[in-house]
Amino acid sequence: MSADSSDVLEPPRTGIRDFALLQTAAFCGTIATRCVEIALAWWVLDRTGNDALLGVLIALGVATDVLSRGALSWLGDRFPPGRVIQSCFIGSALVSGLLTWLAYRGVYELWTIVIGIMLLGVSLGVREPLLMSTIRSLLKTTSVASAVRVRSTVMSLSSFAGPIAAGVLIGPLGYAAVLATASGVVGVSAVLIVVLRTPAPGPRPAPGGGFTAWASGTRAGFRAIRRVRPEWRLAMLTMVVNFALYPVFNVIVPVLVAQRFPHRTWVLSIVESAFAVGLIVGSASLAGLSGRLLGRRRTVLTGFAMLGAGFAGTGLVGALGLHLPVIFTVAASLLLMLSGVGLCMITTNTGTVRLLATPAAYRNRMVAAASFLSGVVMPLGSVASGVVSRTSGELWALAVLGVLICLCALVAARDRVLTAYLDLPDDALDDIYLRDYPHAFAGDAHEEQTATR
């Protein structure tokens, strides 16, 4: 298969440079896209005064993001990844620019805003897994683990900074100015991606079209993750984690703080920000340090335990009756920071295994399918946590969810298949799923990978 200059694998020295530029574009683009979504929701709130509708619009953006990871992940394996990433950023820039123009013209149509938020969610859902899977084709095997930690730091920073930037700017500038600023930043990210040479991850089937190509490509990705035993078991554990993770910060902690300290909103801001700080610190340094000291397997198991213990401990802090806001804030922040570090220890190490072990022709679909499976349970977790908090209280809900995650550490420790792969060094992981589970990659990936060896 021929490739143009945008899809040729660069030497290692340029791979590091291109990786840095790619993550810069991803960081700016993700922050700007989240700012656009929040500004659009505030535009609707300003016109309608409907708080519920604001929440629906933000949830709609998240839903289209998660669903597109499952339905459209095959694009990154069937077409040159550089072109797909470019298309996503350019599409986001065009959508953001059009909505900005409408806002300044005073043209308000709810259906236009809904479609815009959905398109932005699709763009995020397609490009984010691909930005992760592209790491393997940019860098040497020995550099992948460090690059995954950098990528995790970038995403943690963008998730933390996006809502803050939108909140800070909307007050003094208004939603139209925020839309304009964010649209400009998305445009800059699109330009960076266009001039950047992103390589193809390896041999891939010739592009096909129509519903059949979409259905077969999507089905193949889920079939692969289902048949690769360590990935499927890891996906189930990750679903449990996300089942607990999403409602903790979207339902339980906000309600707990509102009940205990109804007139001190700063408590909620600090407590929830502490988790993001834990993610940043974990991905930037502690996950790597733990990996060197304990090894990958023990780091992942410790991460599960830390994540669950932090949640359960926060519930215990509330149960102790600490009614002084400063004491509660400090204790809960330290515990949730511990949880953030634990989550990062899990994701960076399992993400490294996935990138190294998966054959190139299926890499993006495996990354996206894992992301989809972990995200699809979030609404169910919110419903379940709401039931528990109404019947037993928020403190019991935190304790139950924390213990549930701690149990994941025990399950993972007893899973010999999963721990065997976590114990392997990076060079031994290279394409090992293809060798150990060839039936999972029936068709193009197996045949083409074999032909290239």
Side-chain angles (χ1 to χ4, degrees), residues 391-420:
T391 56
S392 303
E394 286 71 31
L395 302 180
W396 273 106
L398 269 176
V400 169
L401 293 176
V403 170
L404 186 64
I405 295 176
C406 288
L407 289 176
C408 290
L410 297 178
V411 173
R414 295 179 61 85
D415 191 326
R416 295 184 179 181
V417 173
L418 177 58
T419 54

Tab-separated table of all heavy atoms in Angstrom, residues 391-420:
chain	number	residue	atom	x	y	z
A	391	THR	N	-31.513	6.043	49.644
A	391	THR	CA	-31.955	5.048	50.616
A	391	THR	C	-31.034	4.968	51.839
A	391	THR	O	-31.499	4.735	52.945
A	391	THR	CB	-32.037	3.662	49.959
A	391	THR	OG1	-30.761	3.331	49.386
A	391	THR	CG2	-33.088	3.663	48.857
A	392	SER	N	-29.723	5.142	51.622
A	392	SER	CA	-28.776	4.967	52.732
A	392	SER	C	-27.932	6.205	53.021
A	392	SER	O	-27.211	6.223	54.026
A	392	SER	CB	-27.839	3.790	52.428
A	392	SER	OG	-28.580	2.615	52.190
A	393	GLY	N	-27.958	7.198	52.144
A	393	GLY	CA	-27.161	8.383	52.355
A	393	GLY	C	-25.911	8.397	51.498
A	393	GLY	O	-25.410	7.354	51.052
A	394	GLU	N	-25.387	9.613	51.259
A	394	GLU	CA	-24.211	9.785	50.400
A	394	GLU	C	-22.965	9.120	50.976
A	394	GLU	O	-22.106	8.629	50.234
A	394	GLU	CB	-23.945	11.273	50.168
A	394	GLU	CG	-24.922	11.952	49.221
A	394	GLU	CD	-26.292	12.110	49.852
A	394	GLU	OE1	-26.369	12.266	51.100
A	394	GLU	OE2	-27.288	12.048	49.108
A	395	LEU	N	-22.846	9.103	52.302
A	395	LEU	CA	-21.668	8.511	52.926
A	395	LEU	C	-21.598	7.008	52.660
A	395	LEU	O	-20.528	6.463	52.364
A	395	LEU	CB	-21.682	8.791	54.430
A	395	LEU	CG	-21.728	10.270	54.820
A	395	LEU	CD1	-21.741	10.424	56.331
A	395	LEU	CD2	-20.538	11.003	54.229
A	396	TRP	N	-22.735	6.339	52.769
A	396	TRP	CA	-22.781	4.905	52.461
A	396	TRP	C	-22.508	4.655	50.976
A	396	TRP	O	-21.854	3.671	50.617
A	396	TRP	CB	-24.123	4.319	52.849
A	396	TRP	CG	-24.184	3.868	54.267
A	396	TRP	CD1	-24.829	4.467	55.305
A	396	TRP	CD2	-23.547	2.707	54.803
A	396	TRP	NE1	-24.635	3.766	56.471
A	396	TRP	CE2	-23.851	2.677	56.193
A	396	TRP	CE3	-22.742	1.705	54.267
A	396	TRP	CZ2	-23.378	1.673	57.030
A	396	TRP	CZ3	-22.268	0.699	55.100
A	396	TRP	CH2	-22.588	0.694	56.464
A	397	ALA	N	-23.009	5.536	50.117
A	397	ALA	CA	-22.762	5.384	48.686
A	397	ALA	C	-21.274	5.471	48.379
A	397	ALA	O	-20.728	4.666	47.605
A	397	ALA	CB	-23.529	6.454	47.903
A	398	LEU	N	-20.583	6.438	48.985
A	398	LEU	CA	-19.136	6.552	48.795
A	398	LEU	C	-18.414	5.306	49.301
A	398	LEU	O	-17.505	4.784	48.639
A	398	LEU	CB	-18.608	7.784	49.531
A	398	LEU	CG	-18.533	9.099	48.762
A	398	LEU	CD1	-18.081	10.217	49.696
A	398	LEU	CD2	-17.585	8.985	47.585
A	399	ALA	N	-18.808	4.839	50.468
A	399	ALA	CA	-18.161	3.660	51.054
A	399	ALA	C	-18.370	2.425	50.185
A	399	ALA	O	-17.425	1.664	49.925
A	399	ALA	CB	-18.695	3.416	52.459
A	400	VAL	N	-19.598	2.228	49.714
A	400	VAL	CA	-19.900	1.054	48.884
A	400	VAL	C	-19.113	1.090	47.580
A	400	VAL	O	-18.516	0.082	47.169
A	400	VAL	CB	-21.423	0.978	48.616
A	400	VAL	CG1	-21.720	-0.058	47.533
A	400	VAL	CG2	-22.172	0.635	49.888
A	401	LEU	N	-19.095	2.241	46.925
A	401	LEU	CA	-18.381	2.350	45.656
A	401	LEU	C	-16.878	2.192	45.864
A	401	LEU	O	-16.183	1.578	45.041
A	401	LEU	CB	-18.689	3.693	44.992
A	401	LEU	CG	-20.137	3.873	44.531
A	401	LEU	CD1	-20.355	5.269	43.967
A	401	LEU	CD2	-20.516	2.825	43.485
A	402	GLY	N	-16.353	2.744	46.964
A	402	GLY	CA	-14.929	2.589	47.246
A	402	GLY	C	-14.546	1.136	47.488
A	402	GLY	O	-13.534	0.655	46.966
A	403	VAL	N	-15.346	0.434	48.270
A	403	VAL	CA	-15.075	-0.980	48.526
A	403	VAL	C	-15.186	-1.796	47.238
A	403	VAL	O	-14.404	-2.736	47.008
A	403	VAL	CB	-16.054	-1.525	49.597
A	403	VAL	CG1	-15.949	-3.043	49.707
A	403	VAL	CG2	-15.764	-0.878	50.950
A	404	LEU	N	-16.144	-1.443	46.378
A	404	LEU	CA	-16.309	-2.141	45.101
A	404	LEU	C	-15.043	-2.044	44.257
A	404	LEU	O	-14.609	-3.033	43.641
A	404	LEU	CB	-17.500	-1.539	44.354
A	404	LEU	CG	-17.931	-2.226	43.060
A	404	LEU	CD1	-18.413	-3.644	43.350
A	404	LEU	CD2	-19.040	-1.432	42.374
A	405	ILE	N	-14.424	-0.863	44.241
A	405	ILE	CA	-13.191	-0.699	43.475
A	405	ILE	C	-12.043	-1.465	44.132
A	405	ILE	O	-11.209	-2.069	43.439
A	405	ILE	CB	-12.851	0.799	43.339
A	405	ILE	CG1	-13.918	1.507	42.519
A	405	ILE	CG2	-11.488	0.985	42.673
A	405	ILE	CD1	-13.724	3.006	42.416
A	406	CYS	N	-11.989	-1.451	45.460
A	406	CYS	CA	-10.946	-2.223	46.146
A	406	CYS	C	-11.050	-3.710	45.832
A	406	CYS	O	-10.031	-4.412	45.717
A	406	CYS	CB	-11.037	-1.999	47.653
A	406	CYS	SG	-10.508	-0.359	48.206
A	407	LEU	N	-12.264	-4.201	45.681
A	407	LEU	CA	-12.450	-5.604	45.313
A	407	LEU	C	-11.859	-5.896	43.935
A	407	LEU	O	-11.437	-7.035	43.668
A	407	LEU	CB	-13.937	-5.963	45.336
A	407	LEU	CG	-14.585	-6.050	46.724
A	407	LEU	CD1	-16.084	-6.312	46.594
A	407	LEU	CD2	-13.924	-7.131	47.569
A	408	CYS	N	-11.842	-4.891	43.063
A	408	CYS	CA	-11.235	-5.069	41.742
A	408	CYS	C	-9.756	-5.418	41.860
A	408	CYS	O	-9.216	-6.187	41.053
A	408	CYS	CB	-11.401	-3.801	40.897
A	408	CYS	SG	-13.085	-3.474	40.364
A	409	ALA	N	-9.082	-4.830	42.866
A	409	ALA	CA	-7.673	-5.153	43.083
A	409	ALA	C	-7.508	-6.630	43.419
A	409	ALA	O	-6.579	-7.299	42.933
A	409	ALA	CB	-7.106	-4.281	44.193
A	410	LEU	N	-8.403	-7.168	44.247
A	410	LEU	CA	-8.335	-8.588	44.612
A	410	LEU	C	-8.614	-9.474	43.407
A	410	LEU	O	-7.937	-10.484	43.192
A	410	LEU	CB	-9.329	-8.879	45.733
A	410	LEU	CG	-9.083	-8.165	47.062
A	410	LEU	CD1	-10.194	-8.515	48.057
A	410	LEU	CD2	-7.720	-8.541	47.629
A	411	VAL	N	-9.628	-9.099	42.619
A	411	VAL	CA	-9.960	-9.883	41.424
A	411	VAL	C	-8.794	-9.881	40.446
A	411	VAL	O	-8.415	-10.923	39.892
A	411	VAL	CB	-11.235	-9.329	40.767
A	411	VAL	CG1	-11.487	-10.026	39.431
A	411	VAL	CG2	-12.432	-9.502	41.693
A	412	ALA	N	-8.209	-8.699	40.216
A	412	ALA	CA	-7.088	-8.598	39.278
A	412	ALA	C	-5.881	-9.381	39.773
A	412	ALA	O	-5.175	-10.026	38.983
A	412	ALA	CB	-6.722	-7.120	39.065
A	413	ALA	N	-5.630	-9.348	41.079
A	413	ALA	CA	-4.475	-10.060	41.627
A	413	ALA	C	-4.603	-11.567	41.446
A	413	ALA	O	-3.587	-12.275	41.302
A	413	ALA	CB	-4.318	-9.723	43.110
A	414	ARG	N	-5.818	-12.089	41.441
A	414	ARG	CA	-6.044	-13.530	41.301
A	414	ARG	C	-6.186	-13.968	39.844
A	414	ARG	O	-6.312	-15.159	39.568
A	414	ARG	CB	-7.294	-13.939	42.082
A	414	ARG	CG	-7.144	-13.755	43.588
A	414	ARG	CD	-8.427	-14.160	44.320
A	414	ARG	NE	-8.742	-15.571	44.101
A	414	ARG	CZ	-8.232	-16.573	44.809
A	414	ARG	NH1	-7.364	-16.326	45.780
A	414	ARG	NH2	-8.587	-17.814	44.566
A	415	ASP	N	-6.183	-13.005	38.926
A	415	ASP	CA	-6.331	-13.317	37.505
A	415	ASP	C	-4.951	-13.576	36.905
A	415	ASP	O	-4.200	-12.650	36.601
A	415	ASP	CB	-7.015	-12.148	36.785
A	415	ASP	CG	-7.437	-12.504	35.374
A	415	ASP	OD1	-6.721	-13.296	34.719
A	415	ASP	OD2	-8.462	-11.985	34.901
A	416	ARG	N	-4.610	-14.825	36.729
A	416	ARG	CA	-3.266	-15.178	36.254
A	416	ARG	C	-3.017	-14.754	34.818
A	416	ARG	O	-1.883	-14.439	34.441
A	416	ARG	CB	-3.048	-16.682	36.412
A	416	ARG	CG	-3.037	-17.154	37.861
A	416	ARG	CD	-2.715	-18.634	37.957
A	416	ARG	NE	-2.671	-19.071	39.350
A	416	ARG	CZ	-2.395	-20.317	39.729
A	416	ARG	NH1	-2.136	-21.251	38.797
A	416	ARG	NH2	-2.375	-20.628	41.011
A	417	VAL	N	-4.065	-14.750	34.012
A	417	VAL	CA	-3.894	-14.337	32.620
A	417	VAL	C	-3.527	-12.862	32.551
A	417	VAL	O	-2.565	-12.467	31.879
A	417	VAL	CB	-5.184	-14.605	31.812
A	417	VAL	CG1	-5.065	-14.029	30.404
A	417	VAL	CG2	-5.461	-16.100	31.751
A	418	LEU	N	-4.288	-12.025	33.245
A	418	LEU	CA	-4.038	-10.588	33.221
A	418	LEU	C	-2.685	-10.248	33.836
A	418	LEU	O	-1.902	-9.477	33.261
A	418	LEU	CB	-5.157	-9.870	33.966
A	418	LEU	CG	-5.030	-8.344	34.103
A	418	LEU	CD1	-4.936	-7.684	32.744
A	418	LEU	CD2	-6.205	-7.795	34.895
A	419	THR	N	-2.390	-10.806	34.995
A	419	THR	CA	-1.137	-10.476	35.662
A	419	THR	C	0.078	-10.964	34.884
A	419	THR	O	1.155	-10.353	34.955
A	419	THR	CB	-1.109	-11.063	37.078
A	419	THR	OG1	-1.372	-12.476	37.022
A	419	THR	CG2	-2.150	-10.393	37.961
A	420	ALA	N	-0.072	-12.053	34.118
A	420	ALA	CA	1.050	-12.542	33.320
A	420	ALA	C	1.467	-11.507	32.274
A	420	ALA	O	2.668	-11.286	32.051
A	420	ALA	CB	0.668	-13.852	32.632
